[in-house]
Amino acid sequence: MKSKRVTFLLVITVQALTAFACNLGVAAPQAEVDVQATSVAATLAAMYAHLETPSSDEPVEEGESETPAAPDILRVAYTDSNRNLWYWQEGAAPRQLTTSGDIQQISIAHDGTLIAFLRGADYSSQDLWVIHNDGSGERRLISAAEFVSLTPVPDSIGTAAYGLVWVPGEHTLAFTTQPLFEGPGFMINNDLWLVDAQSGDRRMLLAPGSGGMFTYSPDGAQIALVTPTEVSLINADGSNRRDAVLTYAAVMTYSEYAYHVQPRWAPDSSYLRVVVPPQDPLLSSPRPPTAIWHLPASGTGASQIATLDVFFLDPVVLSPDLQRLVYLRPPAAEVTDNLRELRIAGGDGSADTLYASGDKIHLYDWSPDSEHFIFSINGFTSLQLGRAGSEYVPLSESGNAFQPRWVDRRRFLYIATSGGNWELRLGEIGAPSTRIAGDSGNPMQLQVSYDFSY
């Protein structure tokens, strides 16, 4: 089974929508082609034609059949507007798994058989539960009181699991603990806990202060640990610690948030790359560069491979194969409102090319094959599909869509809204989208989450 999957949780407010927007809902009886989608399919197919990846770029190896292998099954876990948990998979009707109306966050296992979720009436008191995708075996793994006892912090009003993910290829959940306080503020305990979703057994892999925000390598054998000033590596069992394989000056965010870089592992887990902003990203004349670092998994020989002209903390998005990147920068020496240039370059910063320019550009991720990328321009709901050397085209039939996520090299999920209604749709390059789930209500006032495995 492929391990291409994405996890995310977003609480939608007017403020949050300007940065990210995500919502899902109660599923329709089963996915079906929408009439509106069909009516514009021919137009979109023509527009998408120049973005198609020829089949000739995937030669058949000697001894292999020319008949494509059967695709893996897309599995989606999501909450509806009443904060109940649902499960849908290709070829089957959706199934409601809970009725308690208190689901806060969800994460589906890589094989799609188990769904973990945080449950609680509010953010300060959450239990960790797990359930099978057929609705059986619902059980609590860690209570809110037990979360507090894991890593007690004075003056906190509760403790939550932060960065809840499944260990690659296992039915084990990993998380660091986050103390919760009244009022603004964010911190994590920089510990790392593992809990077996089958037995409920849990253990502390890293003590408080010895971890950080964590990212597993694709093969699950290693973990990158990030603090506001360094990146370290360990084996997944906690051995072979390689401290401070990269150190960097704490980045001023002009807020209470401590900036953490976001490592991206190479597909074969042999190295990772990190984008590091300057210490004071608001300096100008000249603007200090943003650096890209190459970090071998051995922990030695880190090297800076590129610098980019990036304004403040505008995003730089590396492709999954780390051979390409897209980023934003102002169109001139002086920043003009929200105008930005969207630029494409090689993973080492070479062949830097202007791709598009406009207002309020937001970057999403590359497709798993590193060929296409998604972005919005002139509004966060105006999603576009881009590809180096080709003009960009609308991602969907709807002009009001947001929160896209790639499923595979051709398909993607996104939210479409119309009036007071919204839908989760499955799109495909050059084809009409299909409706997976939908509900009524203002999506800007919903608290929903979803996750998928494929």
Side-chain angles (χ1 to χ4, degrees):
M1 174 173 291
K2 301 174 185 176
S3 60
K4 299 169 183 175
R5 62 191 301 274
V6 177
T7 304
F8 59 94
L9 167 69
L10 287 173
V11 176
I12 301 179
T13 64
V14 173
Q15 180 181 7
L17 184 60
T18 62
F20 299 99
C22 165
N23 51 98
L24 300 175
V26 180
Q30 69 182 63
E32 58 184 16
V33 177
D34 189 277
V35 174
Q36 177 188 10
T38 304
S39 67
V40 297
T43 300
L44 280 179
M47 297 175 71
Y48 284 133
H50 70 281
L51 291 171
E52 293 294 305
T53 303
S55 58
S56 59
D57 67 356
E58 297 180 354
V60 177
E61 299 294 335
E62 183 177 354
E64 289 186 345
S65 170
E66 294 187 10
T67 302
D72 291 316
I73 297 174
L74 173 62
R75 299 172 170 89
V76 180
Y78 60 94
T79 56
D80 61 23
S81 56
N82 294 315
R83 291 170 56 192
N84 289 314
L85 179 63
W86 289 71
Y87 171 81
W88 172 88
Q89 71 178 42
E90 291 179 285
R95 178 184 297 115
Q96 185 172 356
L97 303 185
T98 70
T99 58
S100 55
D102 57 359
I103 307 303
Q104 299 277 355
Q105 180 181 345
I106 58 179
S107 182
I108 190 168
H110 297 266
D111 62 5
T113 61
L114 292 174
I115 304 165
F117 56 94
L118 296 175
R119 162 179 278 163
D122 56 59
Y123 81 100
S124 66
S125 180
Q126 299 179 16
D127 302 334
L128 175 61
W129 290 69
V130 71
I131 192 171
H132 291 276
N133 63 17
D134 63 359
S136 66
E138 182 178 356
R139 58 196 181 278
R140 185 169 61 186
L141 298 176
I142 304 176
S143 69
E146 289 172 321
F147 269 124
V148 173
S149 68
L150 294 180
T151 312
V153 175
D155 300 323
S156 64
I157 61 172
T159 301
Y162 183 82
L164 182 67
V165 300
W166 293 92
V167 176
E170 298 183 16
H171 283 167
T172 300
L173 288 156
F175 61 90
T176 185
T177 55
Q178 176 191 3
L180 305 172
F181 302 92
E182 292 183 345
F186 171 83
M187 68 173 288
I188 57 175
N189 288 319
N190 288 343
D191 50 3
L192 184 56
W193 289 84
L194 302 176
V195 57
D196 187 313
Q198 302 282 9
S199 66
D201 293 339
R202 61 178 179 268
R203 66 187 180 97
M204 183 171 63
L205 185 68
L206 297 174
S210 63
M213 292 189 178
F214 62 96
T215 305
Y216 276 88
S217 60
D219 63 8
Q222 302 175 82
I223 306 172
L225 303 170
V226 176
T227 72
T229 57
E230 65 182 40
V231 179
S232 299
L233 301 173
I234 59 170
N235 288 356
D237 62 4
S239 64
N240 189 27
R241 187 173 183 113
R242 290 140 281 168
D243 277 317
V245 298
L246 176 67
T247 60
Y248 59 98
V251 178
M252 296 175 62
T253 63
Y254 293 87
S255 71
E256 61 192 13
Y257 174 70
Y259 187 87
H260 293 67
V261 298
Q262 299 179 336
R264 188 147 205 174
W265 285 92
D268 65 359
S269 303
S270 64
Y271 67 92
L272 36 78
R273 286 185 177 167
V274 178
V275 177
V276 182
Q279 182 176 14
D280 186 350
L282 278 183
L283 288 178
S284 59
S285 301
R287 192 163 39 241
T290 291
I292 300 177
W293 286 82
H294 177 93
L295 311 178
S298 64
T300 60
S303 59
Q304 182 178 305
I305 61 172
T307 59
L308 301 171
D309 178 19
V310 178
F311 172 69
F312 193 45
L313 300 176
D314 277 350
V316 177
V317 183
L318 302 173
S319 63
D321 65 5
L322 299 178
Q323 301 306 302
R324 293 177 175 173
L325 61 87
V326 290
Y327 73 101
L328 302 180
R329 78 177 189 193
E334 297 297 326
V335 178
T336 305
D337 296 326
N338 292 314
L339 294 179
R340 292 290 187 273
E341 292 180 349
L342 191 165
R343 304 187 70 89
I344 301 178
D348 59 358
S350 61
D352 191 322
T353 305
L354 173 65
Y355 185 74
S357 59
D359 185 37
K360 299 178 182 177
I361 300 177
H362 181 75
L363 298 180
Y364 295 90
D365 206 358
W366 291 81
S367 57
D369 62 358
S370 302
E371 284 293 322
H372 302 87
F373 60 92
I374 297 173
F375 68 99
S376 62
I377 189 169
N378 300 323
F380 288 102
T381 62
S382 179
L383 296 180
Q384 310 294 325
L385 182 65
R387 188 183 189 188
S390 301
E391 295 182 359
Y392 61 87
V393 297
L395 181 78
S396 72
E397 305 92 348
S398 170
N400 194 26
F402 53 92
Q403 202 53 50
R405 290 294 184 267
W406 289 98
V407 173
D408 53 33
R409 60 185 291 268
R410 297 182 56 83
R411 299 186 300 166
F412 42 86
L413 292 163
Y414 67 94
I415 304 298
T417 63
S418 176
N421 301 314
W422 55 270
E423 298 175 328
L424 168 65
R425 303 190 72 90
L426 176 63
E428 181 176 356
I429 296 174
S433 63
T434 56
R435 181 184 187 275
I436 291 177
D439 201 355
S440 60
N442 186 345
M444 297 171 67
Q445 297 176 350
L446 299 177
Q447 177 175 299
V448 296
S449 62
Y450 77 83
D451 188 17
F452 72 85
S453 66
Y454 177 69

